[in-house]
Structure formats: structure tokens, C-alpha cells
Amino acid sequence: MYKERLTRPQTVTHAHKHVGVHEFAYVTIAFAPRDEGVAFADESGIEDELVRAVEKALGAAKGPAGHQMTGFDARLLEGRVHPMDSTPRAFAIAALGAFARLETEIVEVWLRVEVTGVEDFIAGVIGDLYSRGARIVESDGESVVAFAPAGNLEGYETALRSMTRDRARCALSFSHCKTIDTPDPRFPGAAAMRA
């Protein structure tokens, strides 16, 4: 499972002009990274319906590479309006145009995996986790703690139940995001990953 995150704070200006259907919108938006979610603020002073269109467009947008964003702050600094041609649709398009120009990096989501009740199946459970690209960090013969790419854990709970005759249980929780093509400092010596 891949996501995108901003590489740094960025301020982007984008104008949307469509002469044929008489649309005009001009926005300047300041973006900054955050861990999750979208925080939006308006400092432009333009009409509320235009501001809402910008906020709604940004809240639903995917990153420039087409992945869900990890999170960002967005401040609408400026909006220029044409008295006849500025509509909520035009401002939504302008906001998406600004968003598409952001510099982002692709990251892979990793989950913490804790498996309990594996006494009689420890070798099979660890082997299966390794086959899913996991890094085992703890194993005491009864439980296993590992970190693994979220995309490799699809169907894991069902597979675990089958492998252990429904005796083992697992808990999955978000751990971190890892930039693609860089070593992960949590796992020294791990090979760089490829998208």
C-alpha cells in the first residue's frame, strides 16, 4: 500500500481560465506536511461558497502520482475572482491544478504485526511473515512481533487462522511510512525497496 507525502512546505499559484464556458479562478495556496488528515484555513477573503469548493476539492484529492496523501495543511492565501465567470466549479478546478503541481514522495505504509498463540506453529508463522517481506523483531516461542508492508498483509488474518488451525490471533496496527528507494533506519542493513 503506497501513499504520498509532501517533501517540504510549498506555496503554489494556479489560474483556471476556460473561455468557451466562461470560467475563471485564481488561487494561491500554502501547503505544509502533517502526519495525517487535512487541515484547511482561509485567508483569502473571497466568498464562502468559493472557499468551500476549494476545501472540498483538496479534501478529496489524491497526490500528483495518484496515491492517497498521508496528510497536509492547506491555507488559501489568495483568490482572484471575475465578477461573471468565477464559480465554485472553477475554484475547485483551480485548487486541483495547484495540488497537481506539488512535490511529493511516494511512501510505503508499514504495519506492526503481533501474533499470539503460535506455540505449535512458530516456524510456519515466521516463514509466512518473511515471505510477506516482514522484519521479525521479537519471538519468544509463543508470540511473534514483526513489521511488514501493509500491502503484503492482505488476507493475512485468514491465512493465519488456516495455518494454525484457528488457534493463533493477530493484531495489526499502523507503524510508520517508509520512503521508497531509501533504507529504513528502523531496520539497519535492510535493502532499499523498489516501487
Side-chain angles (χ1 to χ4, degrees):
M1 174 190 302
Y2 299 105
K3 291 190 177 185
E4 288 179 68
R5 68 180 170 202
L6 295 174
T7 57
R8 58 182 173 78
Q10 301 163 56
T11 300
V12 183
T13 296
H14 188 79
H16 170 67
K17 301 175 187 177
H18 195 304
V19 177
V21 292
H22 302 290
E23 287 183 338
F24 174 83
Y26 178 101
V27 295
T28 300
I29 306 171
F31 296 93
R34 66 184 284 137
D35 289 337
E36 59 182 45
V38 177
F40 179 81
D42 172 43
E43 300 174 9
S44 68
I46 61 174
E47 296 175 32
D48 287 348
E49 68 173 343
L50 303 179
V51 172
R52 284 194 300 273
V54 170
E55 181 177 11
K56 185 176 179 181
L58 294 178
K62 290 194 173 181
H67 301 286
Q68 181 182 355
M69 294 290 289
T70 56
F72 59 91
D73 293 321
R75 286 185 300 124
L76 179 58
L77 302 177
E78 181 184 8
R80 294 184 192 168
V81 178
H82 184 280
M84 299 293 293
D85 298 343
S86 291
T87 64
R89 172 188 146 87
F91 269 82
I93 292 170
L96 292 173
F99 201 75
R101 297 172 57 195
L102 291 172
E103 292 178 22
T104 63
E105 61 186 358
I106 298 175
V107 295
E108 184 172 41
V109 177
W110 281 61
L111 301 180
R112 182 181 189 273
V113 184
E114 184 170 359
V115 185
T116 56
V118 298
E119 298 89 341
D120 299 330
F121 309 95
I122 189 78
V125 168
I126 288 176
D128 182 65
L129 284 169
Y130 276 131
S131 75
R132 295 170 183 270
R135 308 286 187 259
I136 309 297
V137 294
E138 183 181 321
S139 175
D140 62 9
E142 297 179 2
S143 63
V144 178
V145 177
F147 295 92
N152 294 355
L153 292 173
E154 187 174 337
Y156 179 68
E157 293 179 73
T158 302
L160 179 67
R161 284 196 302 270
S162 175
M163 180 188 337
T164 63
R165 299 182 193 139
D166 206 24
R167 293 185 197 171
R169 297 288 179 263
C170 74
L172 304 174
S173 57
F174 174 79
S175 172
H176 63 286
C177 287
K178 179 186 169 307
T179 305
I180 300 302
D181 289 332
T182 60
D184 191 328
R186 295 170 195 256
F187 309 112
M193 301 185 67
R194 299 279 171 197

